[in-house]
Amino acid sequence: MSLLLHPHSRLPARRFGVPFSRSSRSPSCLSFASARSVLPFLQDKAKFYRELEAAVDVVERACRLCVDVKKFLLSNDDRILEKNDQTPVTIADFSVQSLISLELKRLFPSIPLVAEEDSGFLRSSSANLQNIDGHDGNYLVNSVLNAVVDKATVSDDPLTANIVLDAIDRGGINAVSFDAQPATYWVLDPIDGTRGFVKGSDALYVVGLALVVRGEIVLGVMGCPNWKMDTHTSGSHDKKTAKSETGIIMIAHAGCGTWTRRLSDAADNLLMVQGGWKQCFVDSYYTVQEARFCIPDSQTWDFIPLSALFSATVDDSECRDNSTILLLPTCCGSLCKYLMVASGRASVFLQRVRSQKEIKVWDHAVGVICIQEAGGMVTDWNGTRLDFAADQEHRRILYPLGGVLATNSRLHNKILEMISSNFSIV
């Protein structure tokens, strides 16, 4: 583990340049906390309408938190940490998990949370810094506290560092134990694609939240602040319009389809109307040669069984023959690939299981329902649906045979056959 911090840097008790106090919160933040998103289908059509409405609200707030924190991080690279598994984690990861945990507990106190982070790393980092001359060790925790306060629902009881840290731990592995019986719980990936988040570029990253009820994913919300909307959605190409169409939120509810709209910004958060949603569907390609593929950033094409049958190119301008497929340029995080398939920008997402790396539920749960409700399919390489209750005690690990396959459904059986003929699934 390494901790990338300037040993004598110190974060003042200010929120992104604003003095830290409850009275200093901006009017837009107060109005957003009380705003309710109008969903694109009637309430009597969706059993979990209220839960989805709350999920949209808090994911959108979390995305805005990410944008604010990223601006701060770009000029303060010492706010980037590295966990034991060598994946970067930032103030935003902890802040998003705490914010969403607090809001969901306030609205649905009986529903537990399964999430990626816990506060142990943050607490130990602060404790280690106390041994350095000139440090009280609290500025990392204070950074998280300040970011959460900025986006949390206003309450008469002020948030404290301990409340924020405990909210992070509500999603940790020791927070709740399950058993073999069906359960209801939230699944959260606070930032999927943290490597992209810390690049300081337009790399894609996603805030992903899903609700599991009796072993079935019933709703999901993905927010992607850097997603570029299709150019044909606007009749204007001026810079102002292009900027306003960066960022997307995708929702899915069992039996109600998958829908997208652009992320609202502070200026229009009270203007969200039903007409802003657009139903999305997977693409219609039915031959492997014309399909567009995604694979994990950590894997190469020769690691995928289809490489025995097809070579891959990332250049769509190349003349492709029947032995070459198009591999879309990598974007950080698994949920980005799910978003691409569900929106019709990609046809297939393939991920091979590696013995040394566990498959985590938060990297897949929300993506599964978004693809399914958009008309696609998600299974393991044996054609079996992903079992989100396979980890009976903690509900944190998936055990797909061979790997994960997400497609537009037309290609699913064809690719399964190709995999089985070139790969031994055990």
Side-chain angles (χ1 to χ4, degrees):
M1 178 183 70
S2 62
L3 178 61
L4 305 182
L5 294 166
H6 296 311
H8 295 291
S9 59
R10 183 180 296 274
L11 182 68
R14 298 172 70 87
R15 288 184 295 105
F16 311 112
V18 180
F20 172 63
S21 69
R22 295 188 61 77
S23 61
S24 68
R25 296 182 66 187
S26 65
S28 62
C29 179
L30 299 177
S31 62
F32 189 88
S34 61
R36 302 303 298 268
S37 298
V38 178
L39 301 182
F41 35 79
L42 297 177
Q43 187 167 356
D44 59 2
K45 301 294 184 181
K47 182 177 181 180
F48 301 97
Y49 189 97
R50 179 170 172 260
E51 289 84 351
L52 179 57
E53 191 177 41
V56 171
D57 174 56
V58 72
V59 168
E60 192 145 21
R61 266 188 277 170
C63 287
R64 195 168 314 140
L65 183 155
C66 290
V67 172
D68 291 346
V69 172
K70 186 169 184 178
K71 292 177 182 177
F72 178 70
L73 288 171
L74 290 179
S75 58
N76 295 270
D77 61 358
D78 56 315
R79 311 301 172 211
I80 300 171
L81 315 176
E82 193 169 290
K83 296 187 292 186
N84 292 324
D85 62 359
Q86 304 301 303
T87 60
V89 61
T90 71
I91 299 303
D93 294 85
F94 294 115
S95 300
V96 166
Q97 182 157 318
S98 181
L99 172 67
I100 292 180
S101 174
L102 285 167
E103 296 300 314
L104 293 180
K105 183 180 181 181
R106 178 178 63 85
L107 295 171
F108 310 103
S110 65
I111 303 179
L113 175 68
V114 173
E116 182 175 10
E117 308 295 348
D118 63 61
S119 73
F121 181 79
L122 193 61
R123 294 176 193 265
S124 63
S125 298
S126 295
N128 290 337
L129 286 173
Q130 290 178 351
N131 299 322
I132 300 176
D133 291 340
H135 264 286
D136 61 10
N138 293 325
Y139 74 87
L140 288 177
V141 174
N142 286 339
S143 297
V144 174
L145 172 62
N146 295 344
V148 174
V149 167
D150 193 44
K151 295 296 185 291
T153 300
V154 174
S155 172
D156 292 334
D157 299 323
L159 293 179
T160 65
N162 285 335
I163 291 174
V164 166
L165 292 172
D166 288 345
I168 295 172
D169 288 335
R170 196 172 79 90
I173 192 170
N174 297 318
V176 61
S177 292
F178 297 91
D179 54 32
Q181 298 302 314
T184 297
Y185 54 95
W186 297 100
V187 177
L188 168 67
D189 195 335
I191 297 182
D192 183 71
T194 309
R195 293 187 186 278
F197 179 85
V198 301
K199 281 181 178 179
S201 66
D202 292 333
L204 301 182
Y205 63 92
V206 169
V207 177
L209 180 64
L211 180 63
V212 180
V213 177
R214 297 185 177 275
E216 299 291 330
I217 306 169
V218 298
L219 66 85
V221 180
M222 287 193 279
C224 184
N226 284 342
W227 183 270
K228 297 295 190 299
M229 303 292 282
D230 293 330
T231 55
H232 66 263
T233 60
S234 173
S236 172
H237 298 284
D238 60 82
K239 293 182 179 180
K240 183 177 180 181
T241 301
K243 181 178 180 181
S244 69
E245 296 193 354
T246 296
I248 191 175
I249 192 160
M250 175 178 282
I251 68 170
H253 185 292
C256 296
T258 298
W259 302 76
T260 61
R261 65 161 168 77
R262 69 180 179 88
L263 283 171
S264 68
D265 54 39
D268 67 5
N269 55 48
L270 291 180
L271 301 177
M272 294 181 288
V273 295
Q274 186 170 354
W277 293 100
K278 177 182 178 182
Q279 190 167 9
C280 57
F281 302 93
V282 294
D283 71 27
S284 58
Y285 293 134
Y286 59 89
T287 67
V288 174
Q289 291 82 357
E290 64 181 344
R292 298 160 294 176
F293 285 73
C294 291
I295 62 174
D297 311 298
S298 59
Q299 298 181 6
T300 58
W301 181 246
D302 58 7
F303 191 64
I304 304 298
L306 269 64
S307 62
L309 302 173
F310 304 96
S311 60
T313 179
V314 296
D315 188 352
D316 195 23
S317 64
E318 289 185 359
C319 181
R320 290 188 282 141
D321 55 31
N322 289 336
S323 64
T324 306
I325 59 94
L326 177 63
L327 188 62
L328 296 181
T330 57
C331 53
C332 298
S334 297
L335 292 183
C336 296
K337 280 81 168 178
Y338 278 105
L339 200 157
M340 293 180 74
V341 174
S343 65
R345 288 195 179 182
S347 314
V348 179
F349 170 41
L350 274 163
Q351 179 179 0
R352 179 174 169 178
V353 170
R354 296 186 297 176
S355 58
Q356 70 275 26
K357 188 174 179 62
E358 294 176 334
I359 305 293
K360 300 298 180 61
V361 297
W362 47 77
D363 289 327
H364 299 271
V366 63
V368 169
I369 189 169
C370 285
I371 285 182
Q372 290 175 343
E373 288 296 317
M377 293 180 64
V378 183
T379 69
D380 67 13
W381 286 9
N382 198 42
T384 304
R385 294 180 61 185
L386 302 185
D387 183 1
F388 286 89
D391 177 6
Q392 294 186 357
E393 182 177 0
H394 298 296
R395 302 294 199 273
R396 303 174 76 83
I397 304 174
L398 294 173
Y399 303 97
L401 288 177
V404 176
L405 173 63
T407 75
N408 62 7
S409 76
R410 296 171 179 83
L411 293 164
H412 208 85
N413 289 336
K414 296 178 182 179
I415 294 178
L416 286 176
E417 292 174 2
M418 292 176 181
I419 290 174
S420 65
S421 63
N422 292 278
F423 183 75
S424 177
I425 300 175
V426 294

